[in-house]
């Protein structure tokens, strides 16, 4: 940065160089890294208040150990954030790559509790949900959660993605419905994705049921609105927490009791 500022006739402005360096990470990654970096700086300053001889390598190693104690699964991310930070501020020797911080990060992975993978919902289980929680004669809340789960299964959607869908994000044609996914966990560049769901033509067709659902909520902005009031129904979306609560209700209902299936 100093070299760029000292040679303005032949170098771009320091702000442009800084922008290119920061663009090396997606916006969401940068945001998560900055949270960790801010936490590290505050933690390091607090440590220096009690021990002025604390060197940077020791601070990094102890900070990673502290991160492991608080949230063991995040130590690898914390080390990556600090590598990026020290590279960005121009440290000639990035101590985050020193064997000690690397060893602590690797040790954290070995000591972390094993990842638990939940059983996936099967097509037969979705059909049972479809039978019990879809159809124009059902209460809106039942039809809504049935449609949410059916669409998530059919389009491989996360809860946060399905509740963010607006009516304008849905386009039908003769063979598919096309869903405009505005934001997703894997879309770090912020580019929307158009995802199709094919018409099956059978009694469990997610597309046909979606058309029936939209006919029941013609004034809603969001595909799955909040149903608490008329105004909320027009302007607010169903929340992620409500989807989870409604899923628990589904699992307590006739689908789980009568089917013999243990839905996750």
């Amino acid at each position: 940065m100093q070299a760029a500022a000292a040679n303005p006739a032949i170098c771009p402005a320091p702000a442009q160089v800084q922008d290119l360096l920061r663009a090396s990470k997606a916006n969401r990654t940068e945001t998560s890294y900055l949270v960790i970096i801010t936490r590290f700086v505050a933690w390091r300053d607090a440590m220096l208040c009690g021990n002025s001889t604390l060197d940077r390598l020791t601070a990094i190693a102890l900070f990673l150990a502290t991160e492991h104690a608080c949230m063991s699964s995040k130590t690898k991310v914390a080390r990556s954030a600090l590598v990026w930070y020290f590279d960005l501020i121009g440290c000639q020797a990035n101590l985050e790559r020193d064997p000690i911080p690397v060893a602590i990060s690797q040790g954290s992975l070995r000591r972390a509790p094993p990842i638990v993978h939940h059983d996936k919902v099967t097509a037969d289980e979705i059909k049972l949900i479809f039978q019990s929680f879809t159809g124009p004669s059902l209460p809106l809340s039942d039809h809504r959660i049935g449609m949410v789960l059916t669409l998530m299964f059919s389009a491989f959607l996360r809860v946060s993605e399905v509740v963010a869908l607006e009516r304008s994000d849905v386009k039908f044609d003769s063979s598919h419905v096309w869903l405009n996914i505005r934001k997703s966990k894997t879309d770090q560049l912020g580019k929307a994705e158009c995802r199709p769901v094919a018409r099956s033509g059978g009694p469990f067709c997610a597309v046909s049921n979606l058309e029936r659902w939209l006919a029941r909520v013609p004034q809603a902005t969001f595909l799955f609105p909040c149903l608490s009031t008329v105004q909320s129904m027009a302007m607010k979306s169903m929340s992620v927490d409500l989807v989870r609560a409604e899923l628990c209700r589904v699992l307590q209902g006739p689908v789980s009791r009568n089917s013999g299936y243990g839905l996750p």
Side-chain angles (χ1 to χ4, degrees):
M1 297 300 173
Q2 293 177 347
N7 297 273
I10 56 176
C11 292
Q16 290 180 290
V17 178
Q18 184 80 5
D19 179 67
L20 290 172
L21 288 171
R22 294 185 68 170
S24 64
K25 300 296 181 184
N27 290 341
R28 292 185 183 183
T29 301
E30 181 183 334
T31 299
S32 65
Y33 279 9
L34 288 175
V35 171
I36 295 169
I37 291 163
T38 301
R39 191 161 65 240
F40 167 73
V41 171
W43 179 91
R44 181 195 59 192
D45 290 346
M47 288 289 290
L48 289 176
C49 290
N51 183 1
S52 60
T53 64
L54 185 67
D55 64 89
R56 185 151 58 91
L57 176 58
T58 303
I60 291 169
L62 289 176
F63 176 73
L64 292 178
T66 302
E67 288 288 283
H68 171 78
C70 296
M71 39 186 154
S72 58
S73 62
K74 301 297 183 182
T75 307
K76 183 178 180 180
V77 177
R79 195 180 77 84
S80 298
L82 293 182
V83 167
W84 178 73
Y85 168 61
F86 287 120
D87 280 344
L88 201 62
I89 63 176
C91 290
Q92 292 183 346
N94 193 329
L95 297 180
E96 261 300 293
R97 295 191 174 91
D98 187 270
I100 294 177
V102 171
I104 286 182
S105 180
Q106 292 172 341
S108 174
L109 291 176
R110 291 180 181 274
R111 291 291 182 263
I115 298 173
V116 177
H117 296 284
H118 298 288
D119 293 335
K120 294 180 173 60
V121 176
T122 68
D124 286 341
E125 290 166 344
I126 285 294
K127 288 178 180 179
L128 288 166
I129 291 172
F130 193 103
Q131 289 173 329
S132 299
F133 292 92
T134 60
S137 61
L138 286 171
L140 278 178
S141 59
D142 282 357
H143 195 171
R144 180 181 61 181
I145 189 59
M147 191 64 246
V148 165
L149 298 175
T150 303
L151 198 61
M152 287 176 61
F153 181 83
S154 302
F156 305 102
L157 297 175
R158 297 177 177 86
V159 176
S160 60
E161 295 168 351
V162 76
V163 298
L165 286 171
E166 297 183 13
R167 197 181 193 93
S168 59
D169 293 325
V170 179
K171 304 296 181 185
F172 294 93
D173 63 27
S174 59
S175 59
H176 293 83
V177 63
W178 296 85
L179 305 175
N180 183 41
I181 313 300
R182 297 171 184 265
K183 294 181 180 180
S184 70
K185 181 179 179 181
T186 56
D187 180 21
Q188 295 195 351
L189 297 179
K191 297 180 179 179
E193 175 190 355
C194 198
R195 196 171 300 175
V197 178
R199 291 183 185 271
S200 65
F204 304 107
C205 178
V207 180
S208 297
N209 192 45
L210 182 57
E211 290 174 324
R212 291 192 291 270
W213 166 250
L214 286 173
R216 299 191 70 186
V217 287
Q219 304 303 321
T221 299
F222 288 92
L223 188 59
F224 298 109
C226 174
L227 302 177
S228 57
T229 66
V230 173
Q231 184 177 6
S232 295
M233 188 170 175
M235 301 302 298
K236 292 179 64 177
S237 71
M238 186 182 191
S239 69
V240 171
D241 287 341
L242 183 55
V243 172
R244 291 172 178 150
E246 287 286 275
L247 176 57
C248 290
R249 180 173 70 87
V250 169
L251 298 180
Q252 297 296 324
V255 172
S256 58
R257 288 199 301 267
N258 299 335
S259 68
Y261 288 103
L263 298 186

